[in-house]
Structures are given as C-alpha cells and as structure tokens.
Amino acid sequence: MTRVLAGPYCTQILGDLGAEVIKIEHPVRGDDTRAWGPPYAPPKNAKDGLGESAYFLAVNRNKKSLALNFQDPAGSNIIRELAVRSDILVENYLPGTLAKYGLDYCSLRKVNPRLIYASITGYGQTGPYSNRAGYDVMVEAEMGLMHITGERNGPPVKVGVAVTDLTTGLYTANSILAALLSRARTKVGQHIDAALSDCQVATLTNIGSSALISGQRDSGRHGTAHPSIVPYEAFPTSDGSILLGGGNDKLYGILCTRLGQEQWINDKRFRTNDSRVEHRDILVAMIAEETKKKTTKEWLDIFDGSGMPYAAVNDIQDTFNHEHVLARNMVHIIDHPTCGPIKLINTPVKFSQSEPSIRTPPPTLGQHTIEVLTEILKLSKGEVMHLIANDVIA
C-alpha cells in the first residue's frame, strides 16, 4: 500500500529477493508516479496512451498490480483478507489514515498476529511533526543534508536523486528482514515505524558525529571536496573533470609523482594531511593548474595502476555504457506487456547460492486484479464482476 518512491523502492527490493509483492493502487490513476513524465516508455500500440513513465518503471518491477478502492468497505475487506494471508504489509499513509478503514496495525494484527506491518512516513508515528506530510526535498532541508550539499560559496542544493526516500526504503527493507528473523523465533509479527526524518538524521554519519563531538556547527558546503582530507575532490581537465583522492601521505605522494610534481611531496606546507587541510586553497589551485593541461582520458591512463583512487566524472548515459557497469550486468532488458523491450537498472547485490532477479516487468494498472482475487482470495467470477460493476476494483 505504497506509492511514489520510498515505499515502492522498499518493496521492489523485497521483490528482487524473491517475495511475491501485490501492489495496491488507486483504480483510476494508480500510483502517482504513473503520471510523472516525460519521459515515458512508448507503447507498442498508440491506443495504449502515453505508455509507462520512466519514474514508475524504476521502482515497481517484480510486483502484481491490484487496482482497488479501499475507501469502499468491500475494498477494505479485500485488503483485510489479503493481510490474513500475507507475511508483510507496507504502507506510507499519514499516521491514523488507515485506522478509519480498519487497516491499521492494531486492527490487522487481530486477524493475523504474525503480520509484519511497516509504516513509512515523513516524520514517524510519534513526535510533534508526526502529522506532517513528508517529502524528500523538505526532509533533506530540515534534517541537515541540504546545508552540507553544494559548492563552497554557493547556495544549498538537494542531492541529484531523492536520497532520503531511497535510504528510508533501504532501512525499511532491512528492518522487515530482521522482523522476519524475529518472527521465526517468537511466532509474532510487529509494527515497524520508519520515518524519512529519522533515516536522514542517521545517514549524516561522520558529519553528524563531528557536530555531536565538537559541539560546533557544521563547516558548510564543500562541493566535491572532503572537509577533513586534502586533496580529495574533482579537478578540471581540458575536456571535463576527474576526481582524485590523496587520502593519506602515501597516496598524496603518488598523486604528486603522476602529476610530475615530486617536489610538492616534501613541501612543508603539504607534508601531512593536517598541513594540506590548512593550505587547502593553495594546493587545490596548484593541482588544478596541472590537471587542466590534459584530457580526462589522458589522466585516467596516467593514474591507471597507481593504487590511488581516481575516477572520471561521468554523466548518466556514460555510466550505463561504462564497461564495468555492463560487465556487472547492471542494465537489464525485459519485455513489458504494453511497451515491449525496456531497459531497467538491475538488482545490485550478487549471491553465491541464490540469484536475486527481475522476474517480471513493472505491471500495468490493474494487470493482476482478477488473478489476485481469484487465485489468492478464491473469489468467484460472479463476485469479481460484482466488484467491477460497483467500481471497487479495476
């Protein structure tokens, strides 16, 4: 019972790992992201409309779509019956919303004590902000991430993807798996309260720890640079940028040697990381003057085999055509029922004894409604037709 990003990302992870996932969608508009385009994957037949939005396709594979109006008592009863037969329910409605339909955790645990019920919200089930709607960009701003993201002398900016939604989806999927292990021991399910705000605070990690330990405000934005390590950032080349990481004295020495500036190694201003941080602006400018003299490809060849971290700054198309990305099978082609062959980002983790996979494409709206009702809930054809006639399902 989720839509947009954090919840669908969580349930897609579970689907990739082998779960049978039934996605409850509004019978007319479906998940909001079905309309979030362009771009759309074009349909094979013009009569099928715009096709499927790239946004929806990104986080809804390995799922069955049940188009249902749970505001109708017959619809909420269908979800209740599914909850009796399910291991997990994931929802991302404001606290208290689903209680009106008897679909909250307290109601459903009475009919299925083994149910693991995960609620994903902006600010959690408790606290002064619990009734606020949560959006990734707002939480990025309010919970510190935006303040530390962007160029040193520029304004705060959001991360290029909705990273707070994604980390919340990851935390929730992880927590569900832990709850399944707990249930195997206790025979009882539980309620998982996952909030974007909490997950964003948790992922401040070393920057957050520095603020807690020092008691000082954070040092602001550093662009691609690192607040505590120099040099460790992107540098301009004659045709783009390259990221170089001199994370310790040895790596800094390699960097100087490959740049053809060995004399910088014993320069008293740069001998240790502390002194390099102190003289950051001087050293960074000196390195940039050198990197601008060659192309990115030339520098990649120069640093190849050096043992020092380095990388081209690629755009997304370059990423998907990257030889390593292709070798790791991170682009997967699957046949969509209305759009034909489409490319999806593959599931990332490889197992030695199992194979997480994209078994089915993201579903069309209501594609599996009849299948779920007849095969799982064992409704008769007449009962299904009655629900369709009363606009409960589509």
Side-chain angles (χ1 to χ4, degrees):
M1 299 183 70
T2 71
R3 63 268 193 234
V4 187
L5 187 53
Y9 191 61
C10 164
T11 52
Q12 178 172 275
I13 291 169
L14 299 177
D16 289 352
L17 295 175
E20 180 182 20
V21 181
I22 299 168
K23 182 179 180 70
I24 308 298
E25 298 193 69
H26 188 280
V28 177
R29 60 179 180 270
D31 187 311
D32 296 353
T33 60
R34 288 188 182 274
W36 287 10
Y40 294 91
K44 291 181 285 188
N45 300 310
K47 65 181 179 62
D48 291 325
L50 290 172
E52 294 286 354
S53 77
Y55 202 122
F56 179 84
L57 295 173
V59 288
N60 286 291
R61 63 179 178 241
N62 290 332
K63 301 179 185 180
K64 296 177 179 178
S65 173
L66 169 54
L68 174 148
N69 176 16
F70 65 79
Q71 293 180 325
D72 187 296
S76 59
N77 189 59
I78 288 172
I79 294 179
R80 195 172 296 108
E81 290 300 317
L82 283 171
V84 170
R85 293 162 172 77
S86 298
D87 294 292
I88 303 154
L89 187 151
V90 187
E91 58 91 7
N92 66 341
Y93 290 85
L94 280 172
T97 300
L98 295 181
K100 294 182 291 185
Y101 309 102
L103 300 177
D104 57 312
Y105 175 64
C106 290
S107 298
L108 294 183
R109 71 177 177 182
K110 295 175 183 176
V111 295
N112 183 3
R114 292 172 55 83
L115 183 67
I116 294 163
Y117 188 113
S119 297
I120 299 175
T121 58
Y123 297 93
Q125 302 296 306
T126 61
Y129 283 15
S130 61
N131 287 323
R132 283 194 183 189
Y135 296 89
D136 176 278
V137 68
M138 306 302 174
V139 176
E140 281 192 42
E142 194 153 25
M143 299 303 166
L145 180 60
M146 195 177 290
H147 190 261
I148 58 174
T149 304
E151 291 300 324
R152 183 64 180 170
N153 298 313
V157 299
K158 71 179 182 69
V159 178
V161 294
V163 67
T164 304
D165 275 333
L166 298 176
T167 53
T168 303
L170 285 163
Y171 268 113
T172 308
N174 226 18
S175 300
I176 288 169
L177 297 178
L180 283 169
L181 289 172
S182 173
R183 192 186 70 177
R185 185 179 69 255
T186 66
K187 312 302 182 188
V188 177
Q190 58 185 303
H191 186 207
I192 294 169
D193 173 6
L196 272 67
S197 56
D198 295 344
C199 292
Q200 180 48 64
V201 171
T203 51
L204 291 174
T205 54
N206 60 303
I207 303 299
S209 181
S210 295
L212 289 172
I213 297 301
S214 69
Q216 303 296 313
R217 291 187 175 275
D218 67 73
S219 56
R221 294 169 287 286
H222 291 270
T224 61
H226 195 287
S228 305
I229 305 172
V230 175
Y232 200 95
E233 60 186 274
F235 292 91
T237 66
S238 63
D239 64 348
S241 298
I242 187 169
L243 194 62
L244 301 174
N248 56 39
D249 294 343
K250 178 182 178 180
L251 294 175
Y252 169 67
I254 294 172
L255 171 62
C256 294
T257 301
R258 295 294 170 118
L259 289 174
Q261 301 294 335
E262 291 89 343
Q263 71 275 14
W264 293 354
I265 298 173
N266 293 313
D267 189 314
K268 64 181 182 180
R269 297 171 297 176
F270 313 134
R271 283 178 187 163
T272 67
N273 184 67
D274 286 351
S275 59
R276 291 192 291 274
V277 171
E278 182 182 353
H279 298 95
R280 176 195 299 269
D281 292 344
I282 297 171
L283 180 58
V284 166
M286 291 166 62
I287 295 172
E289 283 303 310
E290 296 302 314
T291 57
K292 285 189 288 188
K293 295 176 182 178
K294 299 181 187 296
T295 66
T296 300
K297 178 63 169 59
E298 288 174 323
W299 284 119
L300 292 175
D301 291 340
I302 288 170
F303 286 106
D304 184 36
S306 67
M308 193 197 79
Y310 65 95
V313 179
N314 289 325
D315 70 11
I316 302 300
Q317 288 297 344
D318 287 341
T319 296
F320 287 129
N321 290 298
H322 195 289
E323 60 179 349
H324 190 75
V325 172
L326 295 175
R328 295 285 290 176
N329 298 314
M330 284 307 299
V331 177
H332 183 88
I333 299 176
I334 194 165
D335 194 49
H336 187 274
T338 60
C339 300
I342 58 172
K343 291 181 178 180
L344 297 176
I345 301 172
N346 207 351
T347 182
V349 180
K350 282 69 175 173
F351 288 62
S352 65
Q353 300 297 321
S354 308
E355 187 177 358
S357 63
I358 302 178
R359 303 180 303 282
T360 59
T364 57
L365 178 59
Q367 180 181 343
H368 304 94
T369 298
I370 294 175
E371 174 189 329
V372 170
L373 297 184
T374 57
E375 295 185 11
I376 297 179
L377 297 188
K378 307 300 182 184
L379 269 62
S380 68
K381 182 178 179 180
E383 289 173 311
V384 170
M385 296 308 295
H386 177 75
L387 290 168
I388 292 174
N390 287 278
D391 297 324
V392 177
I393 60 171

